[in-house]
Amino acid sequence: MYSSEESAVSAMSAGRAAMRMGPAELVQAAAMARRFYLEGKSKIQIAEEFGVSRFKVARVLETALDRDLVRIEIRVPAELDAERSDALRARYGLRHAVVVESPAEADDSPDPENLGEVAADLLGELVHEGDVLGLAWGRSTIHMATALHTLPPCTVVQLTGVYDAGTAERGSVEAVRRAAQVSGGEAHPIYAPMLLPDPATAAALRSQTGISRAFDYFDKVTVAAVSIGSWEPGVSTVHDMLGEEERRHYASLGVAAEMSAHLFDARGRRVGRDLGERCITVESERLRRIPEVVAIAGGHRKAAAIDAVLRSGLVTSLVTDTAAADYLLTAGEPPRPALDRADPDD
C-alpha cells in the first residue's frame, strides 16, 4: 500500500511526464542531465550553477528520464541545439537561450520563420495566468504570434507603433489580437505609426485615449517579445522608414543595431536618442524593468546586431539560430551578464 504522500508524489511524477515540455525546459533539462550523467557533477553543484534548489534539479533529472531525454546520450528534438543553447546562455548570462538549427538551404534572409514557431512554444512556457504580455513590432514577433497555439489567460499589449498604419492588419495589431484570442485575454493594440515626422506629432498621438491606455500598461508588462534589426536596408524597420540623409546621420553615430526604435552601438550603448522623441514605442528604461524580455532574431546578417542588443542590458532571453549563435559564441570580450540589466552608459 502507498501512503498518501507517496501517492501524491507518484501522481505528480506521472503528471509531469504527461506535460508538454517547452523549449527552455528541454534545453535546461538537457544541460542539467549532461552535467549529472556525463560530467559527474553533483545535484548541489548543478543547483548552484543554475541558481535553483537541488530539489528542482532532482525533479528535472527525473523528468528527463521520464520523457526519454536521457538514455546513453542526451537527446532533444532535432531542431534544437542544446549544446549551443547552453553555451550561449552561459556566455551572455541569459535566463534562457534557445538555439534552433538554421535551414539546410542557408541564405541571407533575416528572421527564419522557424524561430517564431519555437518562440511561440517558449512564450507558452513563460507566460502565466494573469501576466501582461507585451509585443513589439517585428517580423519575428509576427511569425511567433501566427504560430501560437496555447497561452494562459493574460492581457496582451502592443509595445510599439506599426511600420505602416495602412497595413496594420498584417502586422503588430493583428499579432496582438491573435495572442489575445489564443489566451482569451484583453487586447490593447496601438493604431499609430511607429515613426512620426516630428516630436510634437508623436506627443500628440501618445496623449490620445487608445494609445495612452496602451502606454499605461507598459509598467505592468511581465513578459515581452521583441525583434532585433541590423542597420541596413530590409533588416531594420527604422532604417527603412528614414530618409537617406537621416540614415547617414545615424550611421555616423555608430549604429550597429535597432530594437523597438531604439538604436545601439556595438557595445550596446544607446545612440541617436533624439529619434525616440519621434517614435511611438516603449521607453528603454521601462523595457529594462520588464522581468522577462525575449528577443527573437537570427541569421548571419543580424548576428552582430544581436550581440550589441544583448550587451545593452535590456534583454533577458534569446531565441536564435545556429548561424547567429556561432558568431555570438566568439564575438569579442564576454559581456556583463544580461540578467544584471545594467545600462552600458552608467
Side-chain angles (χ1 to χ4, degrees):
M1 292 292 291
Y2 288 100
S3 68
S4 59
E5 182 176 353
E6 288 173 329
S7 298
V9 170
S10 177
M12 288 174 62
S13 178
R16 284 196 302 273
M19 289 175 61
R20 185 174 183 272
M21 295 177 74
E25 290 175 322
L26 285 164
V27 167
Q28 185 183 70
M32 288 184 176
R34 183 180 298 108
R35 303 290 195 278
F36 187 74
Y37 292 105
L38 300 184
E39 298 177 12
K41 291 189 176 181
S42 70
K43 293 175 183 176
I44 293 176
Q45 289 174 315
I46 298 170
E48 290 175 351
E49 179 183 349
F50 286 85
V52 299
S53 71
R54 61 186 177 87
F55 300 104
K56 178 172 181 178
V57 173
R59 288 196 300 271
V60 170
L61 293 174
E62 179 185 345
T63 302
L65 289 170
D66 291 342
R67 294 302 305 271
D68 207 27
L69 282 177
V70 176
R71 289 181 181 174
I72 297 174
E73 59 183 3
I74 299 164
R75 304 171 61 194
V76 293
E79 69 271 16
L80 297 180
D81 191 311
E83 187 173 351
R84 283 186 177 92
S85 297
D86 187 40
L88 201 57
R89 178 198 61 78
R91 175 176 170 81
Y92 285 90
L94 293 159
R95 182 170 290 117
H96 303 294
V98 181
V99 178
V100 181
E101 289 289 341
S102 298
E105 304 82 19
D107 57 27
D108 289 333
S109 62
D111 306 315
E113 291 195 21
N114 62 338
L115 293 185
E117 295 166 3
V118 173
D121 284 344
L122 180 61
L123 276 197
E125 184 180 341
L126 298 180
V127 175
H128 297 90
E129 183 173 351
D131 276 349
V132 177
L133 171 63
L135 299 181
W137 195 97
R139 298 178 189 86
S140 298
T141 50
I142 292 169
H143 292 160
M144 179 202 68
T146 302
L148 283 171
H149 52 79
T150 180
L151 271 180
C154 65
T155 299
V156 186
V157 61
Q158 193 169 322
L159 296 178
T160 64
V162 297
Y163 175 47
D164 181 348
T167 60
E169 72 277 8
R170 298 195 297 274
S172 310
V173 171
E174 182 55 34
V176 169
R177 287 174 173 166
R178 165 67 179 165
Q181 180 184 34
V182 171
S183 75
E186 296 181 4
H188 294 276
I190 294 178
Y191 296 97
M194 183 188 295
L195 179 66
L196 282 302
D198 54 71
T201 304
L205 276 177
R206 291 189 202 102
S207 67
Q208 290 188 357
T209 302
I211 297 174
S212 65
R213 185 180 297 118
F215 269 64
D216 287 342
Y217 272 93
F218 287 177
D219 288 328
K220 303 173 185 176
V221 174
T222 50
V223 180
V226 300
S227 296
I228 296 172
S230 56
W231 197 245
E232 58 178 303
V235 194
S236 165
T237 300
V238 172
H239 181 282
D240 292 346
M241 287 191 288
L242 294 172
E244 188 57 38
E245 184 177 343
E246 288 181 306
R247 292 172 186 169
R248 287 197 300 267
H249 165 66
Y250 290 116
S252 73
L253 301 179
V255 175
E258 175 258 317
M259 179 183 69
S260 303
H262 300 296
L263 309 181
F264 306 88
D265 67 12
R267 296 174 59 185
R269 299 174 302 187
R270 285 191 62 210
V271 295
R273 292 171 183 257
D274 60 303
L275 184 66
E277 298 174 5
R278 297 167 49 196
C279 292
I280 303 297
T281 186
V282 60
E283 301 93 327
S284 62
E285 288 313 305
R286 274 178 155 177
L287 199 58
R288 197 182 304 279
R289 292 194 294 269
I290 296 174
E292 182 74 85
V293 179
V294 181
I296 312 160
H300 292 290
R301 294 174 66 185
K302 285 193 176 184
I306 297 168
D307 176 63
V309 171
L310 291 181
R311 293 173 186 272
S312 73
L314 295 176
V315 168
T316 60
S317 296
L318 174 69
V319 177
T320 191
D321 62 4
T322 52
D326 286 343
Y327 173 92
L328 294 169
L329 289 171
T330 58
E333 293 296 320
R336 292 184 61 175
L339 293 180
D340 286 355
R341 311 304 293 275
D343 187 337
D345 286 328
D346 292 341

